[in-house]
């Protein structure tokens, strides 16, 4: 179950309850969200030092079906965040 509409916040909120490998993955994702959105499973696994099945488990622990859905949610989070910053800076 996703804790928040914002997947980046959800990852932050769940970080302490993740396995060691999933924590490594979450740190890699949060460190470079744009890379995570565009990376293949293999690229993400190499960068974070985890296995491909760990990525699937991580996605499911967030209440997602898989990496594709995670990428969509990450892109949505960035889009909303950028829109919020532009609205507040422009005011």
């Amino acid at each position: 179950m996703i804790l928040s509409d914002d997947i980046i916040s959800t990852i932050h909120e769940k970080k302490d309850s993740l396995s060691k490998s999933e924590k490594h993955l979450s740190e890699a994702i949060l460190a470079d969200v744009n890379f995570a959105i565009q990376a293949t499973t293999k690229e993400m696994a190499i960068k974070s030092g985890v296995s491909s099945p760990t990525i699937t488990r991580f996605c499911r622990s967030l209440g997602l079906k898989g990496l594709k859905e995670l990428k969509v949610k990450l892109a949505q989070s960035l889009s909303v965040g950028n829109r919020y910053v532009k609205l507040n800076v422009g005011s």
Side-chain angles (χ1 to χ4, degrees):
M1 179 166 122
I2 298 176
L3 301 174
S4 164
D5 288 338
D6 174 17
I7 196 66
I8 293 172
S9 295
T10 300
I11 293 170
H12 279 290
E13 291 166 10
K14 290 202 61 145
K15 203 170 179 183
D16 291 336
S17 66
L18 299 172
S19 71
K20 184 178 177 181
S21 293
E22 290 173 331
K23 281 183 188 178
H24 287 298
L25 178 58
S26 71
E27 290 165 359
I29 290 169
L30 294 173
D32 193 350
V33 175
N34 287 312
F35 172 81
I37 291 169
Q38 298 189 24
T40 64
T41 302
K42 184 176 181 179
E43 291 168 336
M44 195 176 298
I46 291 168
K47 183 169 184 166
S48 60
V50 302
S51 67
S52 295
T54 297
I55 295 171
T56 302
R57 282 192 301 275
F58 174 76
C59 293
R60 290 188 180 147
S61 73
L62 296 176
L64 305 173
K65 294 176 185 170
L67 183 58
K68 183 177 179 180
E69 187 177 6
L70 174 62
K71 289 179 175 194
V72 169
K73 298 284 186 185
L74 287 169
Q76 289 171 341
S77 289
L78 284 185
S79 176
V80 169
N82 287 337
R83 191 169 39 230
Y84 176 79
V85 169
K86 287 178 186 174
L87 288 174
N88 285 320
V89 170
S91 311

